[in-house]
């Protein structure tokens, strides 16, 4: 029995990235061998075990054979005769198919180290086309490594296009689409995820509401980038910059402008009312992908309120309070910060405006803090009851916001 460090840990070490998780493959063993050594089984589809001391994952070397459509259409073989090279061959990208032995020597039968140097995302073998999830994974790795200059190899992109045209990606289950999308939104350049999917025509299949934004013009005085799809790319990248690793803010940024794809052509490049027309497609997309409820709720609120938020410094105090009430922020104060960051990402996610200030956020933070200080007890102590308490609290909150000016809030 031999064990090898595999996958992301080897790749990241070669790239000079701090290794967070380590995965191991075991060659020449049966499940009983690991059980006798104290490993704890966790795998469902194939044998994976947790090390009794480190808790790291150890998987038996395996091969896989396509038996049907989609992610689950595989049969696995974990016989002790499966070699390390057999196991590496089934992996998606060459940069993820490098192993390291106990002495630190690399086993790299498919040229992964060479592709790391060339900054290429290249598939290991034609078997790549058997698993539609790999289209999403490659797009996600593009989002992770775009800032390092990586690109998808031409032959891999061609294979991804073939997988789309053959209908293979149509068999992706919503949970896997969402899982990969959520991960992509935590990467440094989520726009590369969108571009990769668009380059292989998968964006139109999986996210037609987002794909429909490309080619839709906006007013140049507000959006120097013109194209609504390009604006979305800029916004998701700005969200990643403002809130690194936060998929909730990234999701709100991704879908905030879906209404622009529904603007009648005779009204372009204006998009009157897009903040309201975008709510329905967001709800439909979230339902189709089984997006978590808070992601769906906050995304719709960002869509509805982002334009109003951009004008916060000119709003009447009662209207400012109305923003907080629509967010249900007095019961859900945790919504304020992701909401404001998503709005800021929209405002700064525009060509040439990336470094612009967004004082609206600081003002609204201060306004909410002031309004949240108002509680019910003083009014109850004065003898008010029922709806009268709520009315008095609302009036006091309006006054608290009115006492602030944008200048004093900063």
């Amino acid at each position: 029995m031999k064990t090898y460090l595999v996958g992301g840990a080897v790749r990241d070490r070669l790239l000079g990235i701090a290794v967070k998780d380590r995965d191991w493959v075991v060659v020449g063993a049966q499940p009983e061998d690991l059980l006798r050594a104290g490993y704890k089984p966790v795998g469902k589809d194939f044998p994976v075990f947790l090390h009794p001391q480190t808790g790291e994952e150890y998987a038996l070397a395996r091969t896989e054979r396509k038996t049907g459509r989609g992610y689950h259409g595989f049969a696995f073989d974990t016989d002790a005769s499966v070699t390390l090279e057999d196991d590496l061959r089934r992996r998606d990208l060459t940069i993820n198919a490098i192993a390291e032995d106990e002495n630190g020597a690399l086993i790299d039968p498919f040229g992964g180290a060479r592709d790391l140097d060339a900054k290429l995302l290249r598939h290991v073998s034609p078997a790549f086309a058997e698993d539609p999830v790999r289209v999403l994974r490659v797009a996600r790795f593009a989002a992770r490594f775009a800032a390092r200059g990586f690109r998808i190899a031409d032959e891999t992109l061609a294979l991804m296009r073939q997988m789309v045209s053959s209908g293979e990606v149509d068999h992706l289950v919503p949970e896997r689409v969402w899982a990969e999308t959520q991960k992509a939104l935590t990467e440094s350049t989520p726009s590369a995820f969108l571009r990769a999917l668009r380059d292989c025509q998968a964006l139109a299949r999986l996210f037609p509401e987002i794909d429909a934004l490309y080619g839709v013009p906006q007013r140049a005085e507000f959006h120097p980038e013109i194209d609504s799809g390009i604006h979305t790319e800029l916004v998701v990248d700005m969200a990643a910059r403002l809130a690194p690793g936060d998929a909730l803010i990234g999701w709100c940024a991704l879908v905030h402008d879906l209404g622009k794809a529904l603007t009648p052509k005779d009204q372009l490049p204006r998009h009157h009312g897009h903040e309201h027309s975008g709510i329905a497609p967001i709800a439909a997309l979230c339902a189709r992908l089984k997006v978590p409820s808070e992601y769906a709720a906050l995304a719709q609120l960002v869509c509805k309120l982002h334009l109003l938020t951009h004008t916060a410094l000119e709003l009447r105090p009662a209207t400012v309070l109305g923003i907080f009430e629509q967010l249900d922020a007095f019961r859900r104060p945790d919504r304020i910060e992701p909401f404001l960051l998503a709005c800021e990402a929209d405002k700064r996610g525009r060509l040439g405006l990336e470094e612009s200030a967004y004082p609206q956020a600081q003002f609204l933070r201060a306004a909410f803090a002031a309004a949240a200080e108002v509680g019910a007890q003083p009014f109850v102590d004065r003898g008010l009851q029922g709806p009268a308490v709520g009315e008095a609290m609302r009036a006091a909150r309006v006054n608290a916001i009115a006492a602030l000016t944008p200048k004093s809030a900063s």
Side-chain angles (χ1 to χ4, degrees), residues 118-122 142 145-146 148-155:
K119 302 184 186 301
L120 276 180
L121 302 175
R122 183 169 61 87
F145 294 128
R148 291 174 172 264
F150 276 71
R151 67 177 182 86
I152 302 172
D154 294 341
E155 62 269 30

Side-chain angles (χ1 to χ4, degrees), residues 263-264 267 269-277:
T263 301
Q267 295 181 20
R270 298 177 182 274
H271 292 277
H272 180 70
H274 77 274
E275 70 275 23
H276 301 294
S277 60

Side-chain angles (χ1 to χ4, degrees), residues 16-54:
I17 299 173
V19 175
K20 296 180 180 178
D21 300 304
R22 301 196 303 173
D23 294 316
W24 304 82
V25 66
V26 182
V27 177
Q30 296 285 1
E32 297 77 19
D33 299 321
L34 293 177
L35 291 173
R36 280 195 297 268
Y39 288 74
K40 299 179 181 178
V42 293
K44 294 180 180 179
D45 296 324
F46 44 82
V48 178
F49 300 83
L50 299 182
H51 190 282
Q53 278 79 48
T54 67

Side-chain angles (χ1 to χ4, degrees), residues 44-47 61-79 82 86 90 127 130-131 134:
K44 294 180 180 179
D45 296 324
F46 44 82
R62 69 183 189 269
T63 59
E64 54 191 36
R65 177 172 53 86
K66 185 75 168 173
T67 59
R69 289 280 199 172
Y71 174 68
H72 293 292
F74 292 93
F76 298 96
D77 179 12
T78 57
D79 188 78
V82 176
D86 290 336
R90 68 169 179 78
E130 296 176 350
D131 186 354
R134 289 175 169 176

Side-chain angles (χ1 to χ4, degrees), residues 11 92-93 96 121 133-146 152 160 176-190 192-194 196-197:
R11 177 199 67 224
D92 51 7
L93 297 172
N96 296 329
L121 302 175
V133 173
R134 289 175 169 176
V135 171
L136 289 163
R137 279 178 56 82
V138 171
R140 174 163 62 84
F141 279 112
R144 179 177 299 180
F145 294 128
I152 302 172
M160 292 165 65
R176 290 311 302 267
V177 176
W178 170 247
E180 293 297 325
T181 301
Q182 188 177 31
K183 291 175 184 176
L185 291 170
T186 68
E187 305 293 1
S188 61
T189 316
F193 177 77
L194 299 179
L197 293 180

Side-chain angles (χ1 to χ4, degrees), residues 90-375:
R90 68 169 179 78
R91 297 174 183 265
D92 51 7
L93 297 172
T94 60
I95 64 170
N96 296 329
I98 311 170
E100 184 179 296
D101 68 15
E102 58 187 5
N103 299 315
L106 295 183
I107 298 92
D108 184 18
F110 304 106
R114 181 183 64 242
D115 286 342
L116 283 176
D117 290 338
K119 302 184 186 301
L120 276 180
L121 302 175
R122 183 169 61 87
H123 65 285
V124 172
S125 75
F128 175 97
E130 296 176 350
D131 186 354
V133 173
R134 289 175 169 176
V135 171
L136 289 163
R137 279 178 56 82
V138 171
R140 174 163 62 84
F141 279 112
R144 179 177 299 180
F145 294 128
R148 291 174 172 264
F150 276 71
R151 67 177 182 86
I152 302 172
D154 294 341
E155 62 269 30
T156 300
L157 189 58
L159 191 55
M160 292 165 65
R161 288 177 180 145
Q162 179 184 321
M163 293 167 71
V164 174
S165 64
S166 70
E168 184 67 35
V169 298
D170 297 334
H171 295 273
L172 283 166
V173 297
E175 292 85 355
R176 290 311 302 267
V177 176
W178 170 247
E180 293 297 325
T181 301
Q182 188 177 31
K183 291 175 184 176
L185 291 170
T186 68
E187 305 293 1
S188 61
T189 316
S191 62
F193 177 77
L194 299 179
R195 288 195 299 273
L197 293 180
R198 194 158 186 263
D199 286 345
C200 69
Q201 285 88 52
L203 192 66
R205 294 286 188 93
L206 301 174
F207 303 95
E209 299 90 346
I210 297 170
D211 187 70
L213 292 170
Y214 286 88
V216 176
Q218 305 164 106
R219 293 172 64 184
E221 63 267 38
F222 300 122
H223 289 277
E225 70 282 356
I226 307 293
D227 190 296
S228 296
I230 301 302
H231 170 58
T232 297
E233 292 183 5
L234 293 170
V235 175
V236 293
D237 284 354
M238 182 56 66
R241 173 180 162 185
L242 294 174
D246 194 315
L248 172 60
I249 295 171
W251 178 249
C252 293
L254 178 62
V255 301
H256 80 285
D257 262 353
L258 293 190
K260 289 182 176 177
L262 303 177
T263 301
K265 289 186 177 180
D266 61 355
Q267 295 181 20
L268 296 174
R270 298 177 182 274
H271 292 277
H272 180 70
H274 77 274
E275 70 275 23
H276 301 294
S277 60
I279 294 174
I282 291 175
L285 177 59
C286 289
R288 190 173 73 246
L289 296 186
K290 301 182 180 179
V291 171
S293 58
E294 182 58 16
Y295 280 68
L298 192 61
Q300 292 175 68
L301 288 166
V302 170
C303 175
K304 180 181 179 181
L305 298 172
H306 68 278
L307 291 187
L308 194 62
T309 301
H310 295 339
T311 65
L313 304 185
E314 292 80 46
L315 296 178
R316 293 181 297 110
T319 307
V320 172
L321 179 61
I323 293 176
F324 303 145
E325 291 172 339
Q326 290 184 73
L327 288 171
D328 196 18
F330 296 108
R331 291 194 303 173
R332 294 291 310 275
D334 56 302
R335 281 182 170 175
I336 287 291
E337 196 59 21
F339 171 79
L340 291 177
L341 287 171
C343 291
E344 182 174 355
D346 170 54
K347 193 67 171 179
R348 294 173 60 185
R350 309 178 190 211
L351 193 62
L353 301 178
E354 296 86 354
E355 304 306 322
S356 58
Y358 194 66
Q360 297 92 326
Q362 189 59 27
F363 168 65
L364 288 172
R365 289 184 185 103
F368 177 71
E373 286 291 320
V374 177

